[in-house]
Amino acid sequence: SQQGEEDPQALSIQEGENATMNCSYKTSINNLQWYRQNSGRGLVHLILIRSNEREKHSGRLRVTLDTSKKSSSLLITASRAADTASYFCATDRSGTGNQFYFGTGTSLTVIP
Amino acid sequence: DVKVTQSSRYLVKRTGEKVFLECVQDMDHENMFWYRQDPGLGLRLIYFSYDVKMKEKGDIPEGYSVSREKKERFSLILESASTNQTSMYLCASSLTGEDTQYFGPGTRLTVL
């Protein structure tokens, strides 16, 4: 499979703590995205990082990318109960321009 | 804001029935996608379309067909539903040249 894999599969933390989830992938990429999915809903785009970038921030989100290790991490700082959701990484498929492989997701629970 | 809508949130069908899942986007996106999402398997691409009347097979097209007669509408067809097609179906759209995909809320299909 060309899919990315998120680690851990599930994560439970207290409100206010930081949450870190990781994504590993198999092939060279142009960019990597993170999406969020609330239970039973569609995915919502969070952030995109390009292969020539090492770190990117958006609000309480921090994404890193290590292309030599074919891995990325998503850090959510000062977590809130509303951050409870599943988080997916998506990597572009070589040569397609607009298709992506989605990972299997990390289920995050933030306990109030 | 981009809006992607799907015709049903929940659907229950019997084995052998022909099933239509409809997806509509309102942002004039060229690209549209159908995924299915199953626990432990993440999102898998069934079909996609990059223009009206154009379609391409994804990773798991068997048992499915699609139709794109208008730019804003992309339909997924299960010719003869089977129990192993019980799943969450997600539609997405994107603009050519941009990497972000916009997802609908999903249709949870149960085939009895």
Side-chain angles (χ1 to χ4, degrees):
Chain A
S1 168
Q2 298 291 321
Q3 283 182 331
E5 290 187 6
E6 286 88 346
D7 171 59
Q9 289 188 339
L11 181 61
S12 183
I13 60 173
Q14 295 288 330
E15 199 165 32
E17 293 180 340
N18 295 342
T20 300
M21 50 206 89
N22 305 294
C23 169
S24 59
Y25 56 91
K26 297 180 181 179
T27 61
S28 297
I29 60 170
N30 293 312
N31 64 65
L32 183 145
Q33 301 178 63
W34 285 91
Y35 286 78
R36 166 195 168 124
Q37 183 182 36
N38 284 22
S39 180
R41 308 295 296 185
L43 279 70
V44 175
H45 179 259
L46 294 176
I47 194 167
L48 179 150
I49 187 165
R50 302 206 178 275
S51 60
N52 60 355
E53 297 175 307
R54 291 295 168 258
E55 188 170 313
K56 201 162 183 180
H57 296 254
S58 177
R60 292 184 298 112
L61 305 179
R62 174 182 165 238
V63 170
T64 61
L65 179 64
D66 186 336
T67 52
S68 66
K69 294 181 180 178
K70 293 186 169 57
S71 68
S72 173
S73 68
L74 172 66
L75 168 68
I76 304 174
T77 60
S79 64
R80 306 166 181 167
D83 294 327
T84 294
S86 291
Y87 293 82
F88 295 84
C89 65
T91 53
D92 60 305
R93 300 185 183 209
S94 176
T96 66
N98 54 24
Q99 298 173 57
F100 297 88
Y101 291 109
F102 284 83
T104 51
T106 291
S107 176
L108 173 66
T109 301
V110 181
I111 303 166
Chain B
D1 280 351
V2 176
K3 191 166 185 183
V4 180
T5 57
Q6 295 183 227
S7 50
S8 305
R9 289 298 316 281
Y10 300 94
L11 207 52
V12 180
K13 295 292 181 180
R14 298 238 174 243
T15 302
E17 281 192 78
K18 190 169 186 176
V19 181
F20 293 87
L21 302 183
E22 304 284 339
C23 175
V24 177
Q25 49 92 7
D26 66 357
M27 283 301 290
D28 206 34
H29 285 175
E30 295 89 358
N31 308 307
M32 297 188 75
F33 309 84
W34 275 106
Y35 297 90
R36 66 176 282 177
Q37 182 179 22
D38 301 287
L41 297 177
L43 276 72
R44 292 180 291 168
L45 182 64
I46 304 172
Y47 266 98
F48 70 97
S49 169
Y50 54 89
D51 202 351
V52 175
K53 297 192 186 295
M54 305 303 289
K55 59 185 179 185
E56 295 285 342
K57 293 179 179 178
D59 299 317
I60 51 164
E62 297 78 19
Y64 303 94
S65 62
V66 290
S67 172
R68 193 165 181 202
E69 296 297 318
K70 293 185 178 181
K71 191 174 186 179
E72 67 271 19
R73 187 180 298 269
F74 192 35
S75 303
L76 180 69
I77 304 155
L78 286 67
E79 295 291 342
S80 177
S82 64
T83 55
N84 62 14
Q85 292 178 310
T86 291
S87 187
M88 172 71 126
Y89 289 88
L90 293 165
C91 174
S93 71
S94 72
L95 200 59
T96 296
E98 293 187 6
D99 297 311
T100 300
Q101 293 195 2
Y102 296 86
F103 282 81
T107 295
R108 188 166 294 280
L109 172 67
T110 301
V111 182
L112 302 175

